[in-house]
């Protein structure tokens, strides 16, 4: 798997930033003594792994294209750039767009009444 286009990179980076913010909140909670669920404990670990793999991926993106297929076999791509998470983000954006369209339609209908 490799990135399809610039939009995947941009959206993956946005997801990584969101994950880092969420991981920081979870770490703060853990530091003040709140008990975290097993899922909450895994999230910061995954984010840390993703952050650690961003550096080699960034380096690989600077290499000539003919060396990428072999190099990709040895580096784990961060989960935020995976097709499953990117597709979820796109679906969420579509839902927000639909909600905005519906709200605009309701406002226009109220103005007409």
């Amino acid at each position: 798997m490799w990135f399809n286009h610039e939009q995947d990179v941009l959206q993956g980076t946005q997801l990584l930033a969101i994950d880092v913010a969420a991981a920081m909140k979870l770490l703060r909670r853990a530091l003040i003594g709140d008990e975290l669920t097993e899922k909450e404990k895994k999230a910061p670990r995954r984010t840390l792994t993703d952050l650690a793999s961003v550096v080699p991926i960034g380096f690989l993106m600077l290499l000539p294209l003919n060396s990428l297929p072999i190099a990709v076999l040895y580096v784990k791509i961060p989960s935020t750039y995976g097709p499953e998470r990117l597709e979820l983000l796109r679906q969420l954006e579509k839902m927000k767009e639909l909600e905005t369209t519906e709200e605009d339609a309701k406002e226009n209908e109220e103005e007409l009444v």
Side-chain angles (χ1 to χ4, degrees), residues 1 15 79-91:
M1 190 223 78
L15 283 172
S79 65
T80 56
Y81 296 92
E84 302 87 14
R85 297 228 21 224
L86 291 173
E87 185 57 34
L88 284 173
L89 179 65
R90 289 182 187 117
Q91 289 176 2

Side-chain angles (χ1 to χ4, degrees), residues 48-107:
L48 200 58
T49 302
D50 286 348
L51 283 172
S53 61
V54 164
V55 173
I57 290 294
F59 176 74
L60 289 174
M61 293 175 98
L62 298 174
L63 294 176
L65 290 177
N66 59 357
S67 63
L68 284 178
I70 294 169
V72 170
L73 296 174
Y74 298 103
V75 177
K76 180 187 178 295
I77 293 178
S79 65
T80 56
Y81 296 92
E84 302 87 14
R85 297 228 21 224
L86 291 173
E87 185 57 34
L88 284 173
L89 179 65
R90 289 182 187 117
Q91 289 176 2
L92 180 62
E93 287 174 349
K94 286 180 186 176
M95 288 176 57
K96 287 181 180 178
E97 196 174 294
L98 285 173
E99 288 175 359
T100 303
T101 305
E102 288 175 4
E103 289 174 6
D104 290 346
K106 286 181 183 177
E107 287 176 10

Side-chain angles (χ1 to χ4, degrees), residues 9-56:
V9 175
L10 178 63
Q11 289 178 329
T13 304
Q14 289 172 334
L15 283 172
L16 184 60
I18 292 167
D19 283 357
V20 168
M24 294 301 292
K25 287 179 185 177
L26 290 171
L27 289 173
R28 272 190 231 121
R29 280 185 46 208
L31 287 174
I32 62 171
D34 284 353
E35 187 67 30
L36 300 179
T37 66
E38 214 39 54
K39 186 176 180 179
E40 289 172 330
K41 289 177 185 176
K42 289 180 183 179
R45 288 185 206 133
R46 184 192 70 223
T47 302
L48 200 58
T49 302
D50 286 348
L51 283 172
S53 61
V54 164
V55 173

